[in-house]
């Protein structure tokens, strides 16, 4: 059976590569050049090809309904959307690539689907926006009112879904959890098909400029043993024998087609509620370009009406951030918070983004547009940045004021402290200087926070950009070990 699947995988990849251009594959999206701008891990940080630390502020763009790729429409994703993201300082996008889209029929990769995704990839890369390819899933499949896995990969042992309890309620139902169990147990070699789909993706985009890697699975659910994985203990055995084993199997498959780009592991979804992760605790992964992605959603934001949300969420957020950082350190991986938000509650966004600055942590807000998410209430658009997805002038200005921040996009050194006040525009940043081939670059949102310009002071570096530039650049002073920068609104 394994030999047969290997032959199938080879045939699939040949088909995909041919569709991308004469068998060279989209590995030649950069003309075959090995010098495509991509990110690498340096400790817990990301660095660019000029050895500068990169901090990411981005958004999620996941089209959860068929065809599982954003259409070329105003409501979907066009050049205007990519321009908007660039103009507002967002330098990364977590782009949904669904297993159901890549392999809608068992053993058959849909090259046309990859081309639909590639349209968005190229729009973003042309504007130097880093792209993370995310095998997104929620509640496994449409049968459980979620998305991600194709119909043929649903093995529910004949157990029906009792009723639609929504998200995350359907995760706790036997039908959904049994289906996850069968995936973790590799029923009918599901892992091999999942890996073949990832290999097709890696073969296509291995040399894609501004690709920041592959996120192996979104918010994995442990299945029927979920009760043993709850906080505060978590489930070491499952993490080791199922979750890590599966992700390492995907990693080894991807490395056959892309030996260099980042591959992002993700812990169980329960990390968002403070459950520890044991990825890497017993068996090291030993990959030079490993990333660790996790999410933060405070479950008590509903207490905002009582004025208690900040008190409880401060404690819960601190726990989730600590668990995530410990997990990335254990794995030897770069860190990125790839989901938070999904709300119009400004106090929640203000608190969270301030915490991320304190932790020097890059992030990707959920979500850019609402895009008829099947896991949310009908008609709700609280997740997105716009009141009307088809009209970019309907941006929610209060939300944008918090998310469009002054922040260091590239640093010729290692960050040590960062803070920004969205109410006053006050910005402070320090880093340990090191030699780099390009300057430190700080994004400054003029229209949102500095309509009258700004004043900047720097020690250990010289400002090289024009007054009130939207991209503030600095060159480290010769011999300086520490650089400090402050910026205030005029």
């Amino acid at each position: 059976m394994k030999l047969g699947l290997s032959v199938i995988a080879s045939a699939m990849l040949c088909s995909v590569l041919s569709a991308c251009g004469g068998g060279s594959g989209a590995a030649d999206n950069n003309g075959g050049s090995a010098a495509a701008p991509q990110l690498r891990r340096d400790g817990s940080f990301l660095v660019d090809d000029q050895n500068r630390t990169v901090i990411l502020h981005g958004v999620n763009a996941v089209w959860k309904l068929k065809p599982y790729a954003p259409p070329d429409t105003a409501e979907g994703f066009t050049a205007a959307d990519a321009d908007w993201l660039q103009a507002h300082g967002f330098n990364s996008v977590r782009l949904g690539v669904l297993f159901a889209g890549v392999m809608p029929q068992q053993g058959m990769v849909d090259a046309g689907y990859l081309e639909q995704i590639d349209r968005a990839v190229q729009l973003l890369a042309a504007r130097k926006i880093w792209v993370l390819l995310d095998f997104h899933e929620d509640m496994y499949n449409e049968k459980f009112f979620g998305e991600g896995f194709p119909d043929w990969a649903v093995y529910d042992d004949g157990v029906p879904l009792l009723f639609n309890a929504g998200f995350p309620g359907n995760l706790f139902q036997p039908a959904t959890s049994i289906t996850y169990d069968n995936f973790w147990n590799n029923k009918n070699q599901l892992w091999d098909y999942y890996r073949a789909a990832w290999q097709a993706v890696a073969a296509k985009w291995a040399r894609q400029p501004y690709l920041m890697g592959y996120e192996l699975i979104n918010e994995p659910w442990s299945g029927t043993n979920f009760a043993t994985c709850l906080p505060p203990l978590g489930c070491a055995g499952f993490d080791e024998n199922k979750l890590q084993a599966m992700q390492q199997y995907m990693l080894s498959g991807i490395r056959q087609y892309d030996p260099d780009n980042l591959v992002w592991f993700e812990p169980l979804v329960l990390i968002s509620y403070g459950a520890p992760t044991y990825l890497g605790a017993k068996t090291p992964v030993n990959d030079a370009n490993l990333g660790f992605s996790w999410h933060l959603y405070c479950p008590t934001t509903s207490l905002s009406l009582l004025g208690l949300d900040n008190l409880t969420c401060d404690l819960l957020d601190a726990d989730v951030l600590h668990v995530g950082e410990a997990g990335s350190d254990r794995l030897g991986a770069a860190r990125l918070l790839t989901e938070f938000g999904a709300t119009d509650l400004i106090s929640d966004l203000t608190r969270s983004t301030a915490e991320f600055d304190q932790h020097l942590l890059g992030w990707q807000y959920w979500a850019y547009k609402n895009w008829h998410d099947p896991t949310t209430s009908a008609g709700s658009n609280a997740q997105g940045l716009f009141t009307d997805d088809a009209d970019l002038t309907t941006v929610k200005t209060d939300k944008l004021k918090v998310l469009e921040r002054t922040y260091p996009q590239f640093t010729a050194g290692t960050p040590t402290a960062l803070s920004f006040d969205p109410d006053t525009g006050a910005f402070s940043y320090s880093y340990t200087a090191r030699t780099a081939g390009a300057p430190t670059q700080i994004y400054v949102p003029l229209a949102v926070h500095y309509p009258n310009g700004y004043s900047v002071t720097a020690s250990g570096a010289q400002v090289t950009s024009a007054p009130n530039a939207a991209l503030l650049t600095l060159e480290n002073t010769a011999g300086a070990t520490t650089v400090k920068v402050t910026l205030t609104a005029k």
Side-chain angles (χ1 to χ4, degrees):
M1 179 69 177
K2 283 189 177 294
L3 177 61
L5 185 55
S6 176
V7 172
I8 291 172
S10 297
M12 288 190 301
L13 289 171
C14 287
S15 174
V16 171
L17 295 177
S18 296
C20 295
S24 62
D28 274 346
N29 274 345
N30 194 45
S33 170
Q38 294 181 344
L39 299 180
R40 299 288 180 264
R41 181 182 72 87
D42 184 9
S44 63
F45 290 107
L46 298 169
V47 296
D48 70 356
D49 53 356
Q50 299 184 78
N51 202 34
R52 296 179 296 178
T53 300
V54 176
I55 291 181
L56 301 171
H57 285 187
V59 296
N60 279 262
V62 181
W63 191 274
K64 295 184 176 184
L65 304 178
K66 291 181 180 179
Y68 312 122
D72 188 6
T73 65
E75 185 185 39
F77 195 86
T78 69
D81 293 286
D83 288 339
W84 190 95
L85 290 168
Q86 181 188 48
H88 289 274
F90 294 105
N91 63 349
S92 69
V93 166
R94 182 174 179 243
L95 183 63
V97 182
L98 275 62
F99 183 28
V102 178
M103 194 181 289
Q105 299 181 51
Q106 187 170 7
M108 299 296 292
V109 165
D110 185 346
Y113 173 72
L114 298 185
E115 289 304 306
Q116 292 181 64
I117 295 294
D118 191 57
R119 185 187 66 82
V121 170
Q122 299 310 322
L123 287 174
L124 294 164
R127 291 153 180 84
K128 301 182 179 181
I129 295 174
W130 305 101
V131 181
L132 174 60
L133 300 178
D134 160 40
F135 260 32
H136 205 87
E137 67 88 25
D138 290 300
M139 301 190 300
Y140 202 88
N141 173 264
E142 283 95 331
K143 182 174 183 177
F144 311 113
F145 296 90
E147 83 293 319
F149 284 75
D151 294 342
W152 61 262
V154 175
Y155 296 102
D156 57 13
D157 295 353
V159 177
L161 191 73
L162 300 178
F163 55 91
N164 181 15
F167 179 85
N170 288 346
L171 286 173
F172 298 91
Q173 295 206 47
T176 315
S177 283
I178 286 170
T179 302
Y180 276 101
D181 285 348
N182 284 324
F183 176 70
W184 298 122
N185 292 330
N186 195 21
K187 184 168 184 174
N188 293 339
Q189 292 186 277
L190 275 174
W191 289 11
D192 290 319
Y193 290 104
Y194 196 76
R195 184 163 93 150
W198 262 125
Q199 289 178 312
V201 169
K204 180 168 180 59
W205 285 293
R207 296 180 188 169
Q208 170 62 47
Y210 294 96
L211 185 73
M212 54 173 288
Y214 316 100
E215 188 171 354
L216 296 177
I217 187 169
N218 175 71
E219 296 187 349
W221 179 247
S222 59
T224 55
N225 72 333
F226 66 84
T228 66
C229 297
L230 295 172
L233 298 179
C235 45
F238 179 86
D239 281 358
E240 170 76 19
N241 299 318
K242 302 295 185 181
L243 185 58
Q244 182 172 334
M246 184 279 289
Q247 294 190 86
Q248 283 194 255
Y249 191 53
M250 302 306 128
L251 171 66
S252 65
I254 288 172
R255 286 292 179 240
Q256 295 175 25
Y257 294 89
D258 187 344
D260 299 320
N261 216 314
L262 288 153
V263 175
W264 297 82
F265 279 31
E266 187 163 329
L268 288 175
V269 64
L270 294 168
I271 194 175
S272 289
Y273 308 104
T277 177
Y278 296 92
L279 295 176
K282 184 177 179 181
T283 305
V285 177
N286 295 325
D287 188 272
N289 280 311
L290 197 67
F292 184 75
S293 153
W294 77 103
H295 303 165
L296 186 154
Y297 290 106
C298 179
T300 61
T301 53
S302 58
L303 297 176
S304 61
L305 296 177
L306 302 176
L308 299 176
D309 57 315
N310 282 332
L311 175 63
T312 57
C313 287
D314 276 344
L315 298 174
L316 290 167
D317 289 359
D319 188 29
V320 173
L321 291 172
H322 170 73
V323 167
E325 290 170 345
S328 66
D329 289 344
R330 188 183 305 116
L331 278 171
R335 302 170 183 168
L336 184 62
L337 194 90
T338 50
E339 281 192 34
F340 80 103
T343 181
D344 284 339
L345 187 61
I346 301 305
S347 61
D348 182 53
L349 301 178
T350 301
R351 181 194 67 255
S352 297
T353 49
E355 291 168 342
F356 304 156
D357 282 352
Q358 292 169 12
H359 286 258
L360 303 169
L361 184 63
W363 50 258
Q364 293 169 317
Y365 173 78
W366 184 277
Y368 176 55
K369 291 182 176 180
N370 205 55
W371 280 350
H372 306 297
D373 187 339
T375 62
T376 63
S377 300
S380 170
N381 73 342
Q383 298 186 11
L385 298 182
F386 308 94
T387 58
D388 179 357
D389 282 350
D391 185 354
L392 301 183
T393 68
T394 67
V395 65
K396 301 170 185 176
T397 54
D398 288 347
K399 182 181 285 190
L400 187 64
K401 184 177 179 181
V402 177
L403 296 177
E404 188 176 350
R405 308 168 72 79
T406 303
Y407 74 104
Q409 295 180 326
F410 301 96
T411 301
T414 303
T416 55
L418 170 63
S419 68
F420 174 73
D421 186 336
D423 291 325
T424 66
F427 168 81
S428 178
Y429 181 51
S430 63
Y431 61 92
T432 301
R434 68 167 177 246
T435 302
T440 293
Q441 177 178 299
I442 297 172
Y443 173 72
V444 184
L446 297 176
V448 176
H449 292 290
Y450 309 96
N452 299 317
Y454 60 86
S455 300
V456 60
T457 62
S459 62
Q462 180 179 1
V463 175
T464 55
S465 52
N468 300 318
L471 294 177
L472 172 65
T473 59
L474 304 103
E475 295 280 358
N476 295 345
T477 303
T481 57
T482 300
V483 176
K484 296 182 178 180
V485 184
T486 61
L487 191 147
T488 56
K490 288 183 179 178

